[in-house]
Amino acid sequence: MDQAQVSLPAYADVEAAARRIEGIAHRTPVLTSRTANARTGAELFFKCENLQRVGAFKFRGALNAIRALDPAQRSRGVVAFSSGNHAQAIACAGALEGVRTVIVMPTDAPALKLAATKGYGGEVVLYDRYKEDREAIGRRLAEQQGLAVIPPFNHPDVIAGQGTAAKELIEEVGPLDLLLVCLGGGGLTSGCALAAHALSPGCRVVGVEPEAGNDVQQSLAAGRIVSIPVPKSIADGALTAAPGPITFALMRKLVAEVVTVPDAALVETMRFFVERMKIVVEPTGCLAAAAAFTGAVPVAGRRVGIIVSGGNVDPRALAGYLG
Amino acid sequence: MDQAQVSLPAYADVEAAARRIEGIAHRTPVLTSRTANARTGAELFFKCENLQRVGAFKFRGALNAIRALDPAQRSRGVVAFSSGNHAQAIACAGALEGVRTVIVMPTDAPALKLAATKGYGGEVVLYDRYKEDREAIGRRLAEQQGLAVIPPFNHPDVIAGQGTAAKELIEEVGPLDLLLVCLGGGGLTSGCALAAHALSPGCRVVGVEPEAGNDVQQSLAAGRIVSIPVPKSIADGALTAAPGPITFALMRKLVAEVVTVPDAALVETMRFFVERMKIVVEPTGCLAAAAAFTGAVPVAGRRVGIIVSGGNVDPRALAGYLG
């Protein structure tokens, strides 16, 4: 795809998103930890999107995208294909706004996630992941029923919504030297980069991918979107094969660097969050903090924002990580 | 002891404490959960003292008591006897204020707690819990070295400090119909009751004890302090044999009711906090919420404050509760 044809959101879109989601999305707390500061020699500010509605930042983008629909589209509804936090965020935001949501999920999705999506009010359409293409199903449903497709990251309103996390963080704690963001498809990273560049111009924005799935790192190095086989990592919210044209173009402009961390560092970081900070963070949500703790990004002497992206980990899985 | 001889703190002392601890203690976040509201039919506001420094509300009272010392006493230092959150809070507050702290702990205290207390800068004095009396040791040290004894709950400055938790909560969310507080020796409950009565006059304050250790419930029923054998419960921060003269007198005046919950409800509540609210809460910290969830206190249709008192649970123990 020709990058020039992509229409990129700007910081004004993040501001508009902030107005749209105000009072519905949580203004999540920013936590600090003397122990984490002592360990890294930095001043760390943890923006806790694990305490966001639906347990992840995804609610911001989903709600913004749904509230940005025109009245005709609102009355028809939306469709999303996802088995993760985006699906639940769309279902929840749709229910709150009185907008019909259809979620395309694989027949072998965990029963808990199916139940949660239905619980939030989403209509679940199942597909066989070995025989059918979820995007094709989503597009067919969209055409047949006039639904708007809301993809998990490559969408201007989704990106602008995610950027409100960094906007709130910087407004609360002041300018930062560095902002570390958990990186999957790049919706959160590119949205937060828009906010950081506008509100804290000297701030370096660094995306953090799982070691096993560095599609964005490779893409930025190559100067074009590189697709990789779907990676295997416990960071199940960052298992993307490639960034999208919009998120890639934004990250190319606004992201200083992408680094990676191994799964073992995510487990150690989860334990730290439980033991010292008393919060539950899913493996994907540990990416940014792990980069600071492992030294993948030098942080000593700096004011560092860390986006903790989500907390949706099954209690039994968490028990396994802690045991 | 004659109740009339006890000098009771008032709401003005809570206000003074708030000024003393401002900017040092965290102003902890208030979280809400649609799931918890749906489950109880109430509007619940969780004041998250598990996210307080040292992982518990105890930091408020400890810091207030140390900052309230006169200069001569500050230069001599303080002594506390505790193996729990109060010890760590005193050690941490003392280190921050440059005040010497001596903590009397049993020789068989968990190595982790000893290390944490020393890590915060406390001087640990060990005693044999089967042969020696910790209060006697503490008083002897106090006399010999001119140290001020700061007890865990029966002290006006400690009580006033703990009351700042409810003050912040009500200032943030507005008047409440009901305030549920985790209840051990009564420092948190009586301090919060002072704040609630001043800031939200119609608010019923209810203390929640572990079923196995209802010393305050019995004391209020009897109209005098009743001592019970040290109870056995997973709520290890609420294993008191009796309230103190000051906390008892305040609770008698200000607390509408004391209810109890069984340990099984605490485990279920811990799981709920992890799974739905993404926070780590120690068993004692689950008492107040468990009273709402089990129906021990009817909450439907009401605006209810819930003090989540602490989050200091060993990760392996947490894994056991979740597994």
Side-chain angles (χ1 to χ4, degrees), chain A residues 34 50 53 278 280 311-312, chain B residues 34 50 53 278 280 311-312:
Chain A
R34 284 167 63 89
N50 56 327
R53 290 179 78 157
K278 320 302 176 192
V280 175
N312 291 323
Chain B
R34 283 169 63 88
N50 56 327
R53 289 178 80 158
K278 320 301 177 192
V280 175
N312 290 324

Side-chain angles (χ1 to χ4, degrees), chain B residues 205-220:
Chain B
V205 177
V206 176
V208 185
E209 289 186 303
E211 203 173 70
N214 66 336
D215 50 302
V216 177
Q217 194 180 47
Q218 289 189 38
S219 298
L220 291 178

Side-chain angles (χ1 to χ4, degrees), chain B residues 122-135:
Chain B
E123 294 172 35
V124 173
V125 171
L126 296 174
Y127 75 101
D128 180 339
R129 73 160 95 213
Y130 302 103
K131 294 185 185 160
E132 300 171 279
D133 171 12
R134 68 179 189 175
E135 299 203 16

Side-chain angles (χ1 to χ4, degrees), chain B residues 24-83:
Chain B
I24 311 175
H26 288 324
R27 197 176 176 94
T28 53
V30 177
L31 300 183
T32 57
S33 159
R34 283 169 63 88
T35 311
N37 289 353
R39 183 182 283 197
T40 57
E43 197 175 358
L44 305 179
F45 301 96
F46 298 88
K47 176 67 169 169
C48 289
E49 289 300 298
N50 56 327
L51 306 180
Q52 184 53 267
R53 289 178 80 158
V54 191
F57 72 95
K58 293 281 186 183
F59 184 71
R60 297 176 181 271
L63 181 64
N64 185 51
I66 285 178
R67 286 182 70 95
L69 297 173
D70 64 44
Q73 189 58 60
R74 275 183 77 98
S75 69
R76 288 193 298 270
V78 303
V79 59
F81 25 88
S82 155
S83 54

Side-chain angles (χ1 to χ4, degrees), chain A residues 144-165:
Chain A
Q144 288 171 348
Q145 305 185 20
L147 304 174
V149 175
I150 304 186
F153 53 85
N154 198 56
H155 186 292
D157 294 328
V158 171
I159 293 166
Q162 320 305 31
T164 59

Side-chain angles (χ1 to χ4, degrees), chain A residues 14 28 47 57 76 93 98 124 137 160 164 180 201 210 265 294 296 298 309:
Chain A
V14 179
T28 53
K47 177 67 170 170
F57 73 95
R76 288 193 298 270
V124 173
I137 294 171
T164 59
L180 304 180
T294 59
S309 63

Side-chain angles (χ1 to χ4, degrees), chain A residues 26 29 31-32 34 50-51 53 55 96 120 271 274-280 311-312 315-316 318-319 322-323, chain B residues 26 29 31-32 34 50-51 53 55 96 120 274-280 311-312 315-316 318-319 322-323:
Chain A
H26 289 324
L31 300 184
T32 57
R34 284 167 63 89
N50 56 327
L51 306 180
R53 290 179 78 157
L96 290 170
Y120 283 121
R271 290 181 63 93
V274 164
E275 189 168 352
R276 304 303 305 229
M277 296 184 66
K278 320 302 176 192
I279 54 174
V280 175
N312 291 323
R316 277 171 207 278
L318 178 65
L322 297 177
Chain B
H26 288 324
L31 300 183
T32 57
R34 283 169 63 88
N50 56 327
L51 306 180
R53 289 178 80 158
L96 289 170
Y120 283 120
V274 163
E275 189 167 352
R276 305 304 304 229
M277 294 183 67
K278 320 301 177 192
I279 54 175
V280 175
N312 290 324
R316 276 169 208 278
L318 179 65
L322 297 176

